[in-house]
Amino acid sequence: MSHDFAKGVAALESQIDSRVAAYFSSCVHCGLCAEACLFYTETQDPRYTPIYKLEPMRRLWKEQHTFWGKFAIKLGLSKPLSDQDFADWEELVYDSCTLCGRCSMVCPVGNDITYMIRKEREGFAAAGYTPPGLQEATHRALTIGSPMGVTLKTLQAALRHVERNTGLSIPMDRQGADYMALFSSMEVVNFPEYIESVACIFDAARVSWTISSQAFEATNSGIQIGSREAAREIVGRVVDAAESLGVKYVISPECGHAYTAIRWEGPNLIGRPYKFEIIHILELLDQLQQEGRLKLSGLTETPLTFHDPCQIVRRGGVIEPPRDLLGKVASGFVEMADHGEMNWCCGGGGGVSANERAEGLRLKVFDRKRKQLEALGVKTLVTACANCRIVLEEGIEDRDMDVEVIGLTELVAEHLAAAPAASSTGSE
Amino acid sequence: MIGQLIDGPLWYFSLAVFGVGMLYRLYSILRAGVKPDLAPPRAGGGAGALRNLFSRFVPRRDVATRGRLTLIAGYLFHLGLFALLFFAQPHVDFLAERITGFGWPALPYWAFIISAELAFVGLLLLWLHRLLHPVTRLLSSVDDHIGTGLVFLVMLSGCLALAQAFEPLRLLHLFLAELLLIYFPFSSLMHTFTFVFSRGYTGAMMGRKGVNA
């Protein structure tokens, strides 16, 4: 990929808003954010300190927004940001940050470091300093429609399997349905049981739903690489499809960053509120069971714990629904010491799992989750994000651990009170 | 002659630089602007901002364990300095005479001594940590050391001038405090004021998402 330093600086400069200015003005370099970052705690490498990953952006802010910064540059006492800085920091910005947001929860002055790293990536993407794995994923998302190359035909093949297994008919492009479901490529390719579970649950709860053939992919590589233009294009496809079908809600799948993209960044990317609402699948399931439409029976007695996907819980605010649902289907649910909004990341969020170059580091920092699981001693780990799930499974395999990872939606589906009727789903 | 300069014009000059510089820094933060969030909130941003403003005074359990030294030293220094700055008898008298026009109850002498000791211990521990720990050593800039050094010298000269029996020591203390006031708006010491913005912005955004930041 070609590099364009001037474009990168211009993009980075455009990201400096009041929040960024306040954050850099407040930072006293106490280093506490390092203690919240698994890349530091598991390697003890000070370069992985979250605020240090923002050094290029901080230097640009200082050059342009502070007296000493301007003064030092004029007198030649300080070197302006250079192309080499982008090259030197690329690995820190992409390989060693999952945008998990844990550092933002502990900063004594309240800096949202993750917000800044998300913005810093805009500058790096514009300058052309991004990992090849993420570049390719973004290219596939824009040209094929999915970062993993999943096409409509691939989805249709997966849906045919689901229909055969369940005896249900999956509604496609149903005009005026209440809900439009999105899926992540990872779910379609690696965990089609998620789609099967959704179909069974919706049939049991008599949910009016559909899938759009125009926009079924929920993941958004534009958010991960830091390209606002790509992110806007990907979100726009979902918005166009949902508004043309006239649905009331779009269901974000278990995938974590997909939720952040469509729920929290989406309206800001397209520059207007949606004409529909976004609901996360866990929020919807919890709502359905509270309304009595989703009837569950039996309890799994196996001791199990829950891995909170960062973008759904800490950065997304869906904190209680997974716990409510687990309480309805599992009697042996125990929390890890750091859970909920203070969970530890799986190590593969923020595009790290799509970045082959970062694999070694990702597997190393998985030690944080390994220690959490070993401290608890459970052999079953429930989660609600296909990306977390694959990253956890790879880490577990790498460490020869005897732990099974299961999806929460599937666990809920296993406890449906009545077997799904072999009839068409999606009709109220 | 020098004494008159320190006690008069230099004091007013440093106070003006501090006031104007501080207001300009805050204005430059606000001037950068924040785009309105178009995503429908789950809860109110205002309540989140207010909650975060105060809740960050209490550290999260995990970091309270892993960053114990920084946190304890930070509390000792900030609380000790606050007590000294606003409740030491000489400061109450000085502020009443030069700025507010009225006084308030000051700390007893023994409490003053304890506050000073706590502030010194906290500041020295933080400074040592900054110099010795690989993370803070990597992060720290010249500004961090100048700011810490100036605060240390102001506190030290303040203790030496405590008896107020030796005029040159009082003038030295005032002169160093004036240097600190002049340096303040151009440095990371501005976190004294900007932390309100940082906590507020983060608290508002996380509050809208329904997360207690």
Side-chain angles (χ1 to χ4, degrees):
Chain A
M1 191 172 187
S2 62
H3 299 145
D4 189 336
F5 174 68
K7 199 174 163 194
V9 169
L12 204 52
E13 193 182 329
S14 72
Q15 297 300 315
I16 298 175
D17 60 9
S18 285
R19 288 181 63 182
V20 173
Y23 294 157
F24 281 135
S25 299
S26 298
C27 181
V28 289
H29 300 143
C30 70
L32 277 176
C33 52
E35 303 296 347
C37 175
L38 75 169
F39 287 94
Y40 172 74
T41 62
E42 302 315 300
T43 64
Q44 295 295 301
D45 184 341
R47 293 182 318 125
Y48 292 146
T49 302
I51 197 72
Y52 187 68
K53 296 167 191 170
L54 285 158
E55 195 59 13
M57 197 181 198
R58 188 195 68 81
R59 281 176 53 192
L60 189 68
W61 164 79
K62 199 172 175 193
E63 281 171 24
Q64 297 185 343
H65 293 260
T66 70
F67 173 79
W68 287 127
K70 291 174 189 168
F71 188 69
I73 291 283
K74 278 198 175 147
L75 290 186
L77 299 171
S78 148
K79 282 194 289 184
L81 193 65
S82 70
D83 206 33
Q84 189 58 44
D85 293 318
F86 279 106
D88 291 344
W89 257 264
E90 184 194 314
E91 183 238 339
L92 296 181
V93 173
Y94 288 99
D95 299 21
S96 69
C97 178
T98 60
L99 301 177
C100 82
R102 203 166 188 275
C103 52
S104 300
M105 302 296 278
V106 305
C107 174
V109 292
N111 288 352
D112 188 350
I113 298 165
T114 309
Y115 170 84
M116 291 198 281
I117 292 182
R118 163 73 183 86
K119 281 179 158 283
E120 189 178 48
R121 286 188 180 187
E122 292 280 340
F124 275 69
Y129 285 99
T130 50
L134 266 179
Q135 288 168 21
E136 288 153 17
T138 309
H139 180 70
R140 282 191 295 270
L142 292 172
T143 53
I144 302 172
S146 147
M148 290 173 69
V150 172
T151 61
L152 178 61
K153 280 189 176 174
T154 321
L155 174 73
Q156 285 169 330
L159 295 181
R160 277 196 295 276
H161 276 288
V162 170
E163 289 180 330
R164 264 202 302 275
N165 290 347
T166 61
L168 298 168
S169 170
I170 308 295
M172 283 294 269
D173 296 324
R174 179 171 291 173
Q175 197 72 32
D178 287 344
Y179 295 89
M180 183 180 104
L182 299 175
F183 301 103
S184 71
S185 293
M186 195 77 82
E187 286 157 351
V188 176
V189 175
N190 295 71
F191 306 113
E193 55 269 34
Y194 167 77
I195 306 176
E196 197 169 312
S197 302
V198 167
C200 292
I201 292 169
F202 286 179
D203 181 68
R206 311 300 291 165
V207 171
S208 157
W209 72 296
T210 190
I211 299 171
S212 167
S213 59
Q214 301 302 307
F216 53 85
E217 175 63 69
T219 56
N220 193 320
S221 306
I223 298 282
Q224 296 174 326
I225 202 167
S227 168
R228 193 176 168 82
E229 292 74 28
R232 184 192 299 124
E233 163 68 22
I234 296 165
V235 165
R237 291 172 187 168
V238 173
V239 174
D240 290 345
E243 292 184 350
S244 77
L245 285 172
V247 298
K248 294 174 189 158
Y249 300 90
V250 167
I251 306 168
S252 177
E254 284 193 340
C255 176
H257 90 268
Y259 182 62
T260 282
I262 195 77
R263 173 67 175 88
W264 298 111
E265 288 213 24
N268 298 306
L269 288 167
I270 65 165
R272 68 169 172 85
Y274 303 145
K275 293 174 184 165
F276 51 87
E277 288 181 40
I278 299 290
I279 188 164
H280 190 266
I281 183 69
L282 297 184
E283 289 180 295
L284 178 58
L285 297 185
D286 193 36
Q287 185 183 310
L288 291 173
Q289 68 89 12
Q290 285 185 20
E291 289 169 355
R293 293 171 67 186
L294 175 58
K295 293 186 170 49
L296 301 168
S297 69
L299 291 169
T300 297
E301 290 173 8
T302 313
L304 51 83
T305 190
F306 182 65
H307 165 76
D308 292 275
C310 308
Q311 299 301 322
I312 295 172
V313 178
R314 177 164 47 241
R315 303 294 287 182
V318 183
I319 302 165
E320 291 310 317
R323 290 167 169 79
D324 287 349
L325 291 165
L326 277 167
K328 296 284 185 248
V329 297
S331 58
F333 170 50
V334 282
E335 294 274 23
M336 287 183 252
D338 294 310
H339 61 268
E341 60 207 21
M342 285 308 288
N343 77 307
W344 287 93
C345 180
C346 64
V352 172
S353 65
N355 176 1
E356 293 90 350
R357 188 180 69 192
E359 189 180 343
L361 183 60
R362 170 168 61 82
L363 289 170
K364 177 162 182 56
V365 302
F366 177 77
D367 264 345
R368 175 49 53 181
K369 192 56 65 181
R370 176 184 63 76
K371 288 172 200 164
Q372 279 195 290
L373 289 168
E374 287 176 355
L376 213 54
V378 300
K379 302 290 182 194
T380 304
L381 178 60
V382 182
T383 192
C385 168
N387 188 59
C388 291
R389 188 168 168 183
I390 203 102
V391 168
L392 291 166
E393 285 179 350
E394 285 176 11
I396 286 165
E397 191 184 328
D398 186 64
R399 292 289 188 279
D400 283 329
M401 294 169 70
D402 178 24
V403 176
E404 182 194 16
V405 186
I406 54 175
L408 179 51
T409 304
E410 292 149 57
L411 185 63
V412 170
E414 284 171 16
H415 289 271
L416 282 172
S423 62
S424 171
T425 185
S427 55
E428 282 279 42
Chain B
M1 178 66 182
I2 291 175
Q4 283 174 338
L5 178 72
I6 292 170
D7 241 346
L10 192 57
W11 162 251
Y12 290 108
F13 174 73
S14 60
L15 204 59
V17 170
F18 171 75
V20 172
M22 189 260 290
L23 288 174
Y24 180 76
R25 282 290 299 272
L26 297 182
Y27 165 71
S28 71
I29 288 173
L30 293 173
R31 191 182 53 178
V34 179
K35 287 183 182 159
D37 186 358
L38 301 174
R42 190 172 273 133
L50 197 62
R51 186 174 51 238
N52 199 40
L53 184 57
F54 294 101
S55 66
R56 290 278 168 138
F57 284 118
V58 183
R60 300 263 178 185
R61 183 191 61 83
D62 175 54
V63 166
T65 310
R66 300 181 61 90
R68 193 181 291 128
L69 174 71
T70 309
L71 285 166
I72 293 173
Y75 274 119
L76 291 178
F77 167 64
H78 284 95
L79 292 173
L81 183 66
F82 182 80
L84 286 179
L85 189 59
F86 294 108
F87 295 99
Q89 188 66 61
H91 288 167
V92 173
D93 295 342
F94 182 86
L95 293 170
E97 183 195 324
R98 303 277 185 112
I99 298 174
T100 61
F102 59 87
W104 52 89
L107 286 172
Y109 186 76
W110 61 266
F112 174 95
I113 295 299
I114 288 175
S115 300
E117 284 173 354
L118 293 180
F120 266 117
V121 168
L123 184 64
L124 289 173
L125 281 175
L126 288 173
W127 207 356
L128 280 174
H129 187 261
R130 190 177 284 293
L131 289 165
L132 300 176
H133 195 280
V135 167
T136 41
R137 201 167 56 223
L138 179 70
L139 295 177
S140 297
S141 61
V142 176
D143 169 48
D144 294 314
H145 293 293
I146 294 175
T148 311
L150 268 175
V151 172
F152 176 78
L153 289 176
V154 170
M155 282 168 48
L156 184 67
S157 60
C159 286
L160 294 175
L162 186 58
Q164 298 198 67
F166 194 45
E167 180 64 5
L169 280 179
R170 187 192 70 80
L171 286 174
L172 176 66
H173 177 56
L174 183 57
F175 175 68
L176 288 167
E178 286 163 353
L179 285 186
L180 184 65
L181 282 174
I182 292 169
Y183 185 68
F184 194 103
F186 306 104
S187 70
S188 59
L189 295 169
M190 272 300 289
H191 76 275
T192 311
F193 299 102
T194 57
F195 85 95
V196 176
F197 291 77
S198 303
R199 289 186 184 180
Y201 282 134
T202 300
M205 195 204 69
M206 298 302 277
R208 287 169 63 82
K209 292 181 175 180
V211 177
N212 287 339

